[in-house]
Structures are given as C-alpha cells and as structure tokens.
C-alpha cells in the first residue's frame, strides 16, 4: 500500500512540502497539529491516490480503525462518536469524487 504523503513532495516552485502524517496515539498532524487527516494531508492523499480512489478509501478505513482504538483508550469518556470519526476519515473521499 502506497503512503507517499509520508515523504517530502516538491510543490510547484520546487520546494519540499513537509509530509502531514499522524502523530499517534493523538491522531494530530505532525506538521500543523490539526486533527489528522488535516487539509494538507487530504490533498496529498488525493494526489497520491488520484487513480485509485477505492485504495484511498481502504487505506483510510484502516487508519480509522487504528485511530478509533487509540482515541478510545486515551479518552474513553466521552469517546469520539462513530459519526465524527467517519466524517473525519472517510466522508471527504466521496465528496472529492463528486458523490457527496
């Protein structure tokens, strides 16, 4: 499974874009401290999986599974709701396809 958002990517001006990867077990972005996947991570993932949106959904479903376990262990009361986690990890992939 490809995870190129974990390595530097040049932007249009040739500068290196820092990878926006999750800091576990908090599931915050290592670069911008936003809940991961943050907006830059989403854009990098969309670029990486531009020809394999099913693969993107499968990858993020796995990340959602891992995050659920970590986040519930860290803060069980109140734990994030399934709806919140679905919105955060998966719903935007359908919107990016123009479905949602």
């Amino acid at each position: 499974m490809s995870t190129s958002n974990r390595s530097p990517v040049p932007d249009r001006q040739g500068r290196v874009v820092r990878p926006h990867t999750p800091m576990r077990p908090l599931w915050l972005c290592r670069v911008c401290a936003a809940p991961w996947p943050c907006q830059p991570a989403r854009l990098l993932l969309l670029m990486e999986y531009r020809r394999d949106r099913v693969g993107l959904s499968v990858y993020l479903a796995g990340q959602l599974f891992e995050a659920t376990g970590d986040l519930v262990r860290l803060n069980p009361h109140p734990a994030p709701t399934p709806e919140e986690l679905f919105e955060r990890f998966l719903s935007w992939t359908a919107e990016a396809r123009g479905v949602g």
Side-chain angles (χ1 to χ4, degrees):
M1 188 173 301
S2 178
T3 55
S4 69
N5 75 328
R6 297 181 190 275
S7 61
V9 177
D11 69 2
R12 289 184 179 159
Q13 289 78 33
R15 299 174 299 200
V16 172
V17 176
R18 292 182 63 193
H20 287 254
T21 57
M23 177 176 38
R24 292 185 65 184
L26 299 174
W27 288 88
L28 298 176
C29 177
R30 292 181 184 276
V31 174
C32 64
W36 192 90
C38 59
Q39 191 61 37
R42 291 177 182 194
L43 291 173
L44 290 169
L45 286 164
L46 286 170
M47 287 173 40
E48 176 181 353
Y49 285 92
R50 67 185 164 275
R51 292 188 180 97
D52 186 11
R53 291 298 174 85
V54 172
L56 174 60
S57 296
V58 170
Y59 170 70
L60 287 170
Q63 297 301 295
L64 182 147
F65 178 80
E66 294 290 327
T68 300
D70 287 345
L71 294 172
V72 168
R73 274 191 299 279
L74 283 176
N75 191 15
H77 303 289
T81 67
E83 295 84 14
E84 291 168 335
L85 292 172
F86 178 81
E87 287 294 320
R88 178 172 164 182
F89 283 86
L90 288 170
S91 70
W92 63 271
T93 64
E95 293 167 3
R97 285 193 309 262
V99 175

